Amino acid sequence: MDICSWARQIASGSREEALSEILQYMQLEFFHSNNMVFSPELEVSVRSWILTVGEVDRGVDRKKLWHSEIFLLKQNLPPLPRRLFEFTMLSSRIMPRAAAPVRSALKAHTNLPRFVQFSRAYASSADEKDLVIIGGGVAGYVAAIKAGQEGLKVTCIEKRGVLGGTCLNVGCIPSKSLLNNSHMYHAIKHDTKQRGIVGVEGVSFDLAKMMKAKDTSVTSLTNGIEFLFKKNGVEYLKGAGSFVNEHEIKVDLNDGGETSVSGKNIIIATGSEATPFPGLEIDEQRVITSTGALSLEKVPESMVVIGGGIIGLEMGSVWSRLGSKVTVVEFLNQIGGPGMDAEISKASLKTLKKQGIDFKLGTKVLGGDPSGDKIKLQVDAAKGGKEETIEADVVLVAIGRRPYTAGLGLENIGMELDERSRVIIDQEYRTKVPHIRCIGDVTFGPMLAHKAEEEAVAAVEYISKGYGHVNYGVIPSVMYTYPEVAWVGQNEAELKASDTAYRIGTFPFSANSRAKTNLDTEGMVKIIACPETDRLLGVHIIGPNAGEMIAEAALALEYGASSEDIARTCHAHPTLSEAFKEAAMATYSKAIHF
Amino acid sequence: MNATKVLRQATAHAERMPSIRFVGKRPIPEHIDHTPKPHPASPTGALPANFAKHGSHTSFSSYRDHAQQFGPLRKTIHTANIGSTPGAALGDVSPPKGQYFDRHHLPGKFRRTAISVDEMEALESGGASMVA
């Protein structure tokens, strides 16, 4: 079927009119070529457009379609063509610039206002979006793409100027680049002799190039999201959004100027920022957060990390591998933060110490003085003890993150926050104003990108389908140190606290064939299951590739598998995942190779 | 035939029944309770007292119930006034045990109508007074 010939048929004898018809068709083609709609939907929309524009608007037979008939026609369209149905309004924005001179001519020919009037009478005005998302981080951009796929008219507001938020720009992604490359350097330097690789003495690195490699990965990923926005028909506004009232959001555009959008639904996805340490001013040069730690210009001689959580240990590892003398000061007696199993945490502490990182556990930082050549930190045993001073060139503050809602104008809509500045939500991510939802770091739950992603999909499904799903009991955590640490489900301490009976099975990587061939045998898999039903309760892994292996555990946990289910599933040989299977065997009966 | 059944049962038991259940494509539940409840990851496990009492509605049907009828019959508004609640909701009408209602407690319309002087005359005269 040739859509173009329809347009020609409809066009009357007049040459200009025929031209304008074809031009309008080209606008639809533009949607099509940008993958904004699927072709069957496009076909439907072109048919309906020709019916209305061609017959109603051009006055060939004005009485043929009544308002109610147009309304009905529109009602029966799937969401995307319905959107296109109003394209006469939309097109003026989406039309390519090159076509701009013809645009005015086109308007003059086709007497648009009458048609616009029809649309306005029955549909929302073009400026009101189905969904407005504040924040283009993992939560925001995933929600925007999902909403586009569900056929909602969606706008995403981001003030950073690039999409992806903390995760892509100054978090997970750049840190993984540095961790991977610094690990390769470290491995070449210290771990080649026993493998029979020679001639790598005097290996060194170029920090500037390492940073450039990091930036390249970041840019390609953030650009990828912009492409996905276009593909899914998401409108992207670069600027800072703030609530004017419950439906309207003012956007201070980064390029200057101001605009406003209103939405039937609004999602707050503004994320989080690093919690500053009281008394130490962050300058991102000497006193740094994770953001500064990703772009130091030279390797500091010594570095103190305040906070032995995942961020502190990962960034500490990077700079320690590159030659810094790293000391981690942690208030608790355990590293890895909440959720990490005590046994795994101890094993991790042992290996990290072996790699040359110093630890001061159960130690409180009283204050710091950055005035001298070196930054002086006063530390004290957490339970009271002898005060001492430690010195460092750079201090990394990694004591956690806090929700970020500054400048959002929450006071204009009477939104209250809880005692830790989180937006309070219910089970469907609704805030106290039900059409405003909130997801990601800025609300409850662990501050993890994959959790935000799950919530984004669920929140959009609650809007479009009335039902969504996130299982907060099965959110994996991974620490990308060497060896990696990963866990999902409950740990021993949590089970003890809730008085739940459990059974444990472990398997060391030193008994795994693939780990042996890799000469990489540190770590173990620990599986916790219910003694009565054998149902999996938690999985904790420290060792090579733990971050990938945890996916299998999360899947098993989500399905409610028993340890026997895993143990009876065939795993390829020789792989690291056999250790996972053997740990499951050890849980319900006995491991073969240990 | 019984032997076959027993054998079949025996094989069924000998095979391991995985506790894992593949549920297939997840359907949307038929009945979803949309009333606000605490978020599963909420640290307090409770919603603040003023949550979602905002004037807006959590679902379209609650909005429709609210908007269709104005006045005391509006379904979403419950006041203590008589008329806003059905009579059945006001409770049992029978007296407590051991107590009895007197006819005199009833409103005037339930009482016997007093006979007028003319009526008495009519009764006594056999109706003749009305004709005369």
Side-chain angles (χ1 to χ4, degrees), chain A residues 72-86:
Chain A
L72 262 177
L73 183 66
K74 193 172 148 187
Q75 285 296 300
N76 291 330
L77 290 174
L80 264 175
R82 202 183 304 157
R83 204 169 82 204
L84 274 174
F85 200 81
E86 301 165 308

Side-chain angles (χ1 to χ4, degrees), chain A residues 206-274:
Chain A
D206 180 343
L207 188 61
K209 277 198 180 146
M210 209 177 251
M211 291 295 172
K212 207 174 161 223
K214 175 201 77 178
D215 294 336
T216 313
S217 345
V218 170
T219 328
S220 69
L221 283 168
T222 50
N223 289 348
I225 303 170
E226 273 195 54
F227 164 75
L228 290 174
F229 267 23
K230 281 186 193 133
K231 186 177 166 186
N232 292 290
V234 178
E235 189 187 49
Y236 170 29
L237 289 179
K238 289 183 189 178
S242 63
F243 282 99
V244 176
N245 56 44
E246 286 169 12
H247 284 279
E248 197 184 344
I249 292 159
K250 186 186 81 182
V251 187
D252 285 321
L253 296 169
N254 290 356
D255 299 338
E258 193 183 288
T259 181
S260 83
V261 275
S262 54
K264 287 180 202 141
N265 293 284
I266 295 167
I267 289 182
I268 303 174
T270 46
S272 61
E273 59 178 355

Side-chain angles (χ1 to χ4, degrees), chain A residues 381-404:
Chain A
K383 285 178 184 164
K386 222 176 83 185
E387 208 173 293
E388 64 172 315
T389 305
I390 45 176
E391 292 187 340
D393 294 308
V394 168
V395 171
L396 167 60
V397 179
I399 55 171
R401 297 182 67 79
R402 62 181 184 191
Y404 180 73

